[in-house]
Structures are given as C-alpha cells and as structure tokens.
Amino acid sequence: MLTGTVVGLRARHEDDIPILRTELYDDVEGSSRAEGGPWRPVMPGTDDARLKPDASKEDVVAFSVIELEGGTLVGAATVWGIDTHNRFAHLGLGLLPAARGKGYGTDIVAVLCEYGFTVRGLQRLQIETLADNHAMLGAAERNGFVREGTLRSSAWVMGEFLDEVVLGLLADEYRRRAQA
C-alpha cells in the first residue's frame, strides 16, 4: 500500500466494488462529470472495467483509497494512459460523497505523484478536469501542477458543453518541491 498523510492507496478489493458502484458510478451527474463519455447503467455483478481492474492492461493502474485512520474506503484513484516510451501518464480520482471537502484529494494527488515519479520513473503527469471542479484544481495546484491550457467547450456533460483545464507536472519540478 502507498501511504500519504491521511490516505492510503491499495489494490481494489472485491468488497470495494459495490460501494464504489453505488456511491460513484450510479450517480448519473457525478459520473457524467468524471467520465469521458455518457453515463450508462451497469448491472450488479458485471465486470465493469472502471471498477474491476484488469491486470493485463499495462497502461492503467487502479487503486482504492482508504483513510489511514480506521481503514474506511473513501474513493478510487487511477493512473491511466501510461506511456512507457514517453514516460507520461494521466491521473484521476473520485471521492465518495461523504469524503469530499476533507482534504483527501490533495493527499491522493501527492501519493499518485509519488507512485508516478518515484515508483514508475515517469517524466510527466497530467490531469484534465472540468474548469468548474475547483476541488480538483486546488488539489493539483497544491501539489505543484501548472495550468497549461483550457480546452474550450470540450466536454459534453448533462446537456451542455463545459471547458476542461489541462494541468501538468514534470519530474524535476516534483523533486524540487519534495526537497524544499
């Protein structure tokens, strides 16, 4: 398990799946904001790739996020689109509704950076989020991510186009922050 200050990132357990399905993926609006495509219902017990990691996929690493104190499941985190040639990947996370607003997102991003830069030896990490997702923007920027651009009207979410913000962090920037 990878640990931060208040959260741990561990392998997805089978008993995490019903909680994540109910609290994250069955939420039509929340899921529509987090996914790159339209929301769709998933039957209980099916092998939904968003929930049940596929060990054969080398370009995606999915974690369950737990509170270190008590071990309660609070969300999911993913390193995806891992490009081993260019040493680059994307980060994503989702917090259960009861876990939002407690600072977990900032700690999760920090742990994902440690995984990406230290464990995987990546050169660049990137986050794409909706321009109105102030919690994710703050979590990314508190970890040293820089806003690199806005993709205007690039995300179709619940009947409207929304802007997305692209943020990036390079390995040397991460190391300088870690040493400071």
Side-chain angles (χ1 to χ4, degrees):
M1 179 168 62
L2 301 168
T3 59
T5 305
V6 294
V7 299
L9 275 57
R10 63 161 168 75
R12 178 82 31 88
H13 293 179
E14 200 62 42
D15 57 345
D16 296 343
I17 293 172
I19 297 166
L20 293 173
R21 175 178 283 120
T22 301
E23 302 238 4
L24 288 180
Y25 298 107
D26 282 348
D27 171 12
V28 177
E29 185 172 345
S31 188
S32 294
R33 292 177 57 79
E35 298 289 320
W39 178 85
R40 60 183 173 78
V42 177
M43 286 182 24
T46 59
D47 287 340
D48 183 348
R50 298 171 303 168
L51 298 169
K52 194 166 191 167
D54 180 350
S56 69
K57 287 191 170 187
E58 301 259 337
D59 66 334
V60 177
V61 179
F63 298 98
S64 285
V65 181
I66 61 164
E67 287 179 310
L68 289 177
E69 187 177 315
T72 304
L73 179 69
V74 295
T78 309
V79 179
W80 60 277
I82 300 170
D83 178 336
T84 56
H85 176 74
N86 294 303
R87 295 176 46 206
F88 157 79
H90 303 264
L91 305 181
L93 66 95
L95 288 169
L96 304 181
R100 295 175 187 155
K102 298 183 178 183
Y104 295 142
T106 299
D107 202 32
I108 293 166
V109 171
V111 178
L112 289 171
C113 287
E114 178 71 12
Y115 177 74
F117 291 126
T118 304
V119 176
R120 297 296 298 249
L122 298 175
Q123 167 60 20
R124 174 187 168 77
L125 294 175
Q126 182 170 309
I127 294 172
E128 301 89 6
T129 191
L130 297 175
D132 65 354
N133 187 347
H134 303 292
M136 186 60 171
L137 291 168
E141 290 173 334
R142 283 188 289 278
N143 278 286
F145 280 80
V146 175
R147 291 185 194 214
E148 296 179 333
T150 299
L151 305 173
R152 298 176 305 138
S153 293
S154 64
W156 177 254
V157 179
M158 301 297 291
E160 66 179 320
F161 284 103
L162 300 176
D163 294 348
E164 288 182 282
V165 176
V166 177
L167 303 104
L169 180 64
L170 303 178
D172 63 335
E173 296 166 338
Y174 172 76
R175 284 191 274 289
R176 279 197 302 272
R177 284 179 56 85
Q179 291 172 351

